[in-house]
Amino acid sequence: MIGKDPLDLNGQIAFVTGAGQGAGRAIALALAHHNAGGIAVNDFVSERAQAVADEILALGIPAVAAQADVGDHASVQAAMHFAEKALGPITLLVNNAGNAGPSATMQLSPLFWESAPEDWDRFFHTNLKGVMNCCHIALPGMVKQGKGRIVTIVSDSGRVGEARLAAYSAAKAGANGFMRSIAKEAGRYGITANAISLSTLEPQLSEDELAAFYANDRVKSQLSRYTLRRFGQGEDVAGMTLFLCSDAAAWITGQTYPVNGGFSFAQ
């Protein structure tokens, strides 16, 4: 039909993790703008989740804040059950929560052999275990509905490797492989599972802080590695996520899509 939105989500209910800011917020808003029937905005910080849920409600789309630490199975289970009771069955799951965990910031680690085993857990807690927890809880409902889309945000650190980020790279690579396994297990039930591999997104800073950030020689050197000569924005991630959640991607599963400004190329 002429004029039909090929990315129309047809009223499906979405659960987006780490959606209280940055790329997660952009993803949640993109889904809302394309006829999602409701959005559960997950974040470790309840105030951030509620702020984004309020933005979605202002668009006329049902939304709830679903606070949870995705690395805690019981916490995710409670959040998803709350979301389904408020909005309906979840058939869109976006695993966006990541980095170094709910209360830490990303930074380069020591060389792997100089790191302590207890330092690895914070990367696996959110980036791998969090993805597994969310899928473990969401999948039975998707199987019952006979449809579902799972999109997991991974990283070029996991796809091509990155020095001084060995544990993080391993966790993201694990999440990527996990998506392929889920794609094979769940495909017969009308469920797709794909991954988006990111590189650096522009940090959320004030105008003055951002100017200082880009004036740093190390940042300039890093930026020169990007073919498009810029870091990513949340909206760059949201577009591919929306596509993979829509019927336009109905015959795509088990794939990893680099969305990285040309930092690295897929083989």
Side-chain angles (χ1 to χ4, degrees):
M1 179 186 300
I2 295 175
K4 178 176 172 58
D5 178 6
L7 303 177
D8 190 314
L9 298 176
N10 300 305
Q12 294 189 78
I13 307 302
F15 190 97
V16 185
T17 72
Q21 60 183 350
R25 171 182 172 273
I27 289 167
L29 289 170
L31 300 182
H33 278 292
H34 287 269
N35 196 30
I39 311 284
V41 180
N42 162 261
D43 199 276
F44 182 73
V45 179
S46 57
E47 292 81 6
R48 290 197 306 234
Q50 188 59 60
V52 176
D54 289 343
E55 287 188 78
I56 295 169
L57 287 166
L59 298 173
I61 302 297
V64 294
Q67 190 279 335
D69 172 2
V70 296
D72 182 322
H73 190 277
S75 180
V76 177
Q77 188 169 52
M80 283 200 183
H81 287 174
F82 165 74
E84 291 200 318
K85 186 174 181 179
L87 301 172
I90 294 166
T91 53
L92 306 176
L93 170 63
V94 181
N95 294 305
N96 167 74
N99 290 332
S103 58
T105 56
M106 280 294 295
Q107 57 185 358
L108 293 178
S109 303
L111 293 168
F112 177 69
W113 56 90
E114 296 174 349
S115 67
E118 56 267 24
D119 292 337
W120 310 338
D121 293 342
R122 63 194 178 104
F123 295 107
F124 284 88
H125 179 84
T126 300
N127 296 289
L128 180 55
K129 188 177 179 182
V131 172
M132 296 175 74
N133 284 340
C134 290
C135 290
H136 188 255
I137 296 161
L139 273 165
M142 292 184 182
V143 170
K144 184 177 180 179
Q145 294 293 315
K147 62 181 179 180
R149 299 278 187 271
I150 301 173
V151 180
T152 295
I153 308 302
V154 294
S155 169
D156 272 9
S157 295
R159 195 173 63 83
V160 300
E162 191 67 39
R164 294 185 180 270
L165 287 174
Y168 176 72
S169 299
K172 287 297 192 182
N176 199 8
F178 176 70
M179 278 296 93
R180 293 173 182 170
S181 293
I182 294 302
K184 289 185 175 181
E185 288 190 10
R188 70 189 67 187
Y189 303 104
I191 300 164
T192 65
N194 293 289
I196 297 172
S197 182
L198 299 185
S199 197
T200 303
L201 298 184
E202 183 177 87
Q204 294 183 288
L205 301 171
S206 69
E207 186 174 338
D208 289 344
E209 290 171 331
L210 203 58
F213 172 77
Y214 279 115
N216 182 282
D217 287 341
R218 182 173 172 273
V219 173
K220 290 179 181 178
S221 176
Q222 184 181 12
L223 195 58
S224 70
R225 299 172 65 187
Y226 289 76
T227 302
L228 296 182
R229 294 300 190 269
R230 71 173 177 87
F231 295 132
Q233 302 289 335
E235 290 72 19
D236 295 319
V237 188
M240 178 59 80
T241 306
L242 172 63
F243 168 69
L244 291 173
C245 284
S246 74
D247 283 347
W251 210 46
I252 298 173
T253 196
Q255 305 303 312
T256 301
Y257 289 87
V259 177
N260 62 11
F263 176 79
S264 66
F265 297 157
Q267 301 300 314

